[in-house]
Amino acid sequence: MRNRKWPGRLAISALVLAVGAAYADDRKHDDTDVKYQAGGSPLAGEEMHQNINPKAPPMTAREFQLGKDIYFQRCAGCHGVLRKGATGKPLTPDKTLANGTDYLKVFIKYGSPAGMPNWGTSGELTDEQVDLMARYIQQEPPTPPEYGIKEMEANWKVIVPPEQRPTKKENNLNLENLFSVTLRDAGEIALIDGDSKKIVSVLKTGYAVHISRMSASGRYLYVIGRDARINLVDLWMAKPDTVAEIKVGLEARSVETSKFKGYEDKYAIAGTYWPPQFVIMDGDTLKPQKIVSTRGMTVAPEEYHPEPRVASIVGSHYHPEFLVNAKETGKIMLVNYSDLKNLKTSTIDAARFLHDGGFDSTGRYFLVAANASDKVAVVDTKEGKLAGMVDVGKTPHPGRGANFVDPQNGQVWATGHLGDDSISLIGTDPAKHNDKAWKVVRTLKGQGGGSLFIKTHPKSKNLWVDTPLNPDAKVSQSIAVYDINNLDKGFEMLPIGEWAGLGEGAKRIVQPEYNKAGDEVWFSVWSAKDKESAIVVVDDKTRKLKAVIKDPRLITPTGKFNVYNTQHDVY
């Protein structure tokens, strides 16, 4: 087929439909969902072996390297590092060789009804790159290197040993109202004083910091980049700074610390996308102690998966346990850290593909989105078992979710969605409202799809929902806010991007975050690396602009984490 000339647009359309049918999933994806899942991977820069398949079309070493780079920048998030399938279908040679280069070129260029982006006609890839990728995915997939204790220790640094650190706080900062702000494309975080709105310091970190987490005591800040680099920051120092760091793999998203009484600050844990595993470390030095692989069987239909990525981790308040969520297998592991040499793990079958979530208002129940399954799993961390599986909207993405009292339904936890404009409110009070527990008790209509975070505060009557990935600039540059006591009224739209007073740029509004007092909400105004960004502070009671934080160092601000709220799971 390689040299065949297409007879016309009709033939191309027919082949597009055939390819779409061949690769069709049992659900539809919208463009926002797919592009979010297909984000770039730090593995693009890793040296890998070129596996020659004699049946595959020829590629030079340079072409193979270019194909690898494009694959990890565009495709690995959906199809997996080993191309065995994740939220997207498998692209291994046993499937791709049978289709041939021309068939695959059409698939890549025009996309498919199942959600494959039209990489060629959208202008993302040139015709030459489309041809390159059609040949690349017929080669044997290159395998990234593994990463064990030896590799971790080679990248482990204790900059200030525990015995040389302060014995008491040496600064005048109100640490409970300090914010750790991700400067995504700069590979940094900014520590911002929530009282003065001034930047305290900017610290070098890993690339595209995903989250910041607090130790149980509130002294240590743990920051993890997508390149799996962790920074341990001591907030007691005269000027808070990194005191230890480690690289725990090649790609990662999650870090957490031990919270159970008697284990405060004792351990930290990080989960990686590659290799598919998690590592438990000493909490005050990041010295790696125990690595556990997540490779194994999926939930029904019980198939082996070679790379279940660790998407999120939380620390239990009821037992010395970490809840580790393996994305592709849909398994939630309760890892007991009381005895690392005799590690005990309980496994809960939830649903594919586990992503992010948070606790209910009591801290007993953990709710986590299985985003590509359109479900939320509920774990009773006291009893150590699944409490419920809830069908929600399309591709839930709660961040940590939002807890509040619905006037008609009692205590609820809420999530927004990447794939539609709904906000699902799930009942979370089995003691007083058992008939409504672990069910969607109300659905709100939002501005649109593309939501990443939803937020409220125990002292607030407002519910804030962002939509930074919505394709409509008016929607992505604003925020929807609901009156919790009058949810049927619908949302008010606030033009946060306009309030920032910036020039050109995307100005996507992302992640509402409260201050400790619960009377201010902070929003990141996220533009490109070469454009001005800002943080906008809104008075929660009046919904009026309170402050705009601008600084040349605020490069691509995204996530913001208030120390007190993060330490105490307030959301």
Side-chain angles (χ1 to χ4, degrees):
M1 273 181 82
R2 188 172 301 160
N3 296 318
R4 175 181 173 182
K5 299 208 179 204
W6 300 107
R9 189 169 296 176
L10 185 61
I12 293 176
S13 299
L15 185 56
V16 170
L17 291 174
V19 173
Y23 280 83
D25 201 349
D26 58 358
R27 64 190 302 276
K28 303 282 186 183
H29 301 271
D30 75 357
D31 193 53
T32 300
D33 178 9
V34 172
K35 287 189 176 180
Y36 173 74
Q37 297 287 352
S41 165
L43 288 169
E46 293 294 329
E47 186 175 345
M48 301 181 195
H49 176 67
Q50 178 177 352
N51 296 304
I52 304 299
N53 187 328
K55 297 181 180 180
M59 295 191 82
T60 67
R62 181 178 178 276
E63 286 179 324
F64 187 88
Q65 180 63 38
L66 289 173
K68 179 181 78 71
D69 291 348
I70 293 172
Y71 182 82
F72 283 104
Q73 290 164 2
R74 308 280 191 183
C75 317
C78 280
H79 297 285
V81 169
L82 303 178
R83 305 212 310 261
K84 291 183 179 293
T87 49
K89 288 293 184 180
L91 295 175
T92 45
D94 61 307
K95 299 182 181 299
T96 56
L97 280 169
N99 292 316
T101 301
D102 283 338
Y103 187 94
L104 295 169
K105 283 167 65 175
V106 173
F107 176 58
I108 295 168
K109 182 170 183 175
Y110 292 94
S112 81
M116 174 73 174
N118 54 324
W119 294 113
T121 55
S122 68
E124 298 278 353
L125 297 180
T126 65
D127 285 345
E128 290 76 17
Q129 289 173 321
V130 167
D131 175 77
L132 179 79
M133 294 309 296
R135 288 181 287 130
Y136 175 79
I137 61 175
Q138 295 176 75
Q139 313 294 325
E140 292 295 327
T143 303
E146 298 295 324
Y147 214 87
I149 289 286
K150 179 182 176 181
E151 288 78 17
M152 292 182 193
E153 289 185 337
N155 289 283
W156 171 50
K157 300 176 185 176
V158 178
I159 300 160
V160 182
E163 62 272 15
Q164 296 178 20
R165 297 174 195 167
T167 56
K168 60 181 180 179
K169 189 164 79 80
E170 294 183 345
N171 57 62
N172 295 320
L173 295 170
N174 177 8
L175 294 183
E176 291 187 334
N177 202 32
L178 190 71
F179 288 77
S180 174
V181 180
T182 297
L183 306 180
R184 187 186 185 280
D185 295 337
E188 298 172 334
I189 60 165
L191 297 178
I192 301 181
D193 180 0
D195 296 340
S196 68
K197 314 293 190 293
K198 301 293 185 184
I199 295 178
V200 174
S201 59
V202 174
L203 305 179
K204 284 290 181 185
T205 61
Y207 168 70
V209 164
H210 195 66
I211 56 171
S212 295
R213 287 290 179 261
M214 292 304 306
S215 68
S217 69
R219 172 177 183 170
Y220 290 116
L221 174 70
Y222 299 79
V223 179
I224 190 164
R226 291 181 64 167
D227 57 1
R229 176 180 168 185
I230 302 174
N231 286 64
L232 174 62
V233 180
D234 187 352
L235 299 179
W236 280 13
M237 296 172 69
K239 186 176 183 181
D241 207 346
T242 297
V243 293
E245 64 180 51
I246 190 172
K247 187 172 170 63
V248 293
L250 301 178
E251 185 173 0
R253 296 294 188 280
S254 53
V255 67
E256 180 62 296
T257 68
S258 52
K259 297 178 179 177
F260 189 65
K261 187 176 180 180
Y263 292 89
E264 297 92 338
D265 296 19
K266 184 175 178 61
Y267 292 120
I269 182 173
T272 48
Y273 270 28
W274 188 271
Q277 61 192 32
F278 60 87
V279 56
I280 300 175
M281 302 158 282
D282 288 341
D284 60 352
T285 65
L286 301 181
K287 179 178 174 61
Q289 296 289 353
K290 187 80 172 180
I291 299 175
V292 179
S293 173
T294 56
R295 293 177 170 104
M297 307 304 289
T298 69
V299 296
E302 300 283 339
E303 297 172 337
Y304 178 76
H305 201 287
E307 52 169 311
R309 298 172 288 183
V310 178
S312 61
I313 305 173
V314 296
S316 171
H317 299 278
Y318 284 85
H319 301 284
E321 291 178 338
F322 294 119
L323 280 74
V324 178
N325 298 282
K327 194 176 185 80
E328 279 70 28
T329 56
K331 306 268 188 174
I332 302 171
M333 291 162 280
L334 280 59
V335 181
N336 190 301
Y337 51 75
S338 61
D339 183 357
L340 297 188
K341 290 189 179 297
N342 299 285
L343 193 69
K344 295 179 181 178
T345 301
S346 301
T347 302
I348 295 173
D349 284 359
R352 302 171 75 188
F353 294 80
L354 297 172
H355 193 65
D356 204 359
F359 288 105
D360 77 315
S361 61
T362 68
R364 173 173 174 172
Y365 297 96
F366 173 63
L367 296 94
V368 59
N371 53 19
S373 296
D374 302 335
K375 296 179 184 293
V376 168
V378 185
V379 177
D380 182 344
T381 64
K382 182 178 180 180
E383 298 296 329
K385 62 182 182 181
L386 189 71
M389 288 293 301
V390 188
D391 292 317
V392 292
K394 185 178 178 183
T395 320
H397 194 288
R400 308 212 79 180
N403 291 300
F404 59 94
V405 177
D406 179 310
Q408 279 77 51
N409 299 293
Q411 193 71 48
V412 296
W413 179 92
T415 180
H417 299 85
L418 274 165
D420 65 32
D421 63 4
S422 69
I423 296 105
S424 298
L425 277 56
I426 298 171
T428 59
D429 190 355
K432 295 181 180 178
H433 298 277
N434 188 52
D435 59 324
K436 298 180 178 180
W438 324 134
K439 299 174 183 176
V440 174
V441 297
R442 189 195 294 263
T443 300
L444 305 176
K445 182 177 176 60
Q447 290 199 92
S451 176
L452 290 180
F453 298 100
I454 186 168
K455 188 73 69 170
T456 188
H457 189 278
K459 296 180 181 179
S460 173
K461 296 302 180 184
N462 288 323
L463 176 68
W464 306 84
V465 185
D466 70 12
T467 44
L469 298 185
N470 192 283
D472 186 335
K474 183 178 179 181
V475 175
S476 65
Q477 294 179 11
S478 61
I479 196 79
V481 54
Y482 299 80
D483 179 351
I484 288 172
N485 290 326
N486 193 6
L487 292 167
D488 291 333
K489 182 181 177 181
F491 64 84
E492 178 185 4
M493 186 276 285
L494 300 184
I496 303 296
E498 179 183 321
W499 288 356
L502 302 174
E504 293 182 352
K507 292 176 283 196
R508 292 176 292 235
I509 310 306
V510 63
Q511 202 206 32
E513 177 73 346
Y514 276 85
N515 63 345
K516 182 197 172 185
D519 58 9
E520 292 178 355
V521 192
W522 292 37
F523 301 93
S524 295
V525 185
W526 171 26
S527 286
K529 188 175 182 179
D530 61 345
K531 304 293 183 183
E532 187 181 22
S533 293
I535 292 173
V536 168
V537 182
V538 174
D539 184 292
D540 181 69
K541 185 174 182 180
T542 66
R543 301 182 180 178
K544 302 296 185 184
L545 176 65
K546 189 168 184 178
V548 178
I549 304 173
K550 293 183 180 180
D551 191 290
R553 295 172 290 177
L554 285 179
I555 299 170
T556 58
T558 51
K560 301 165 300 305
F561 303 88
N562 174 269
V563 165
Y564 182 87
N565 294 338
T566 304
Q567 177 188 359
H568 296 281
D569 291 312
V570 177
Y571 37 79

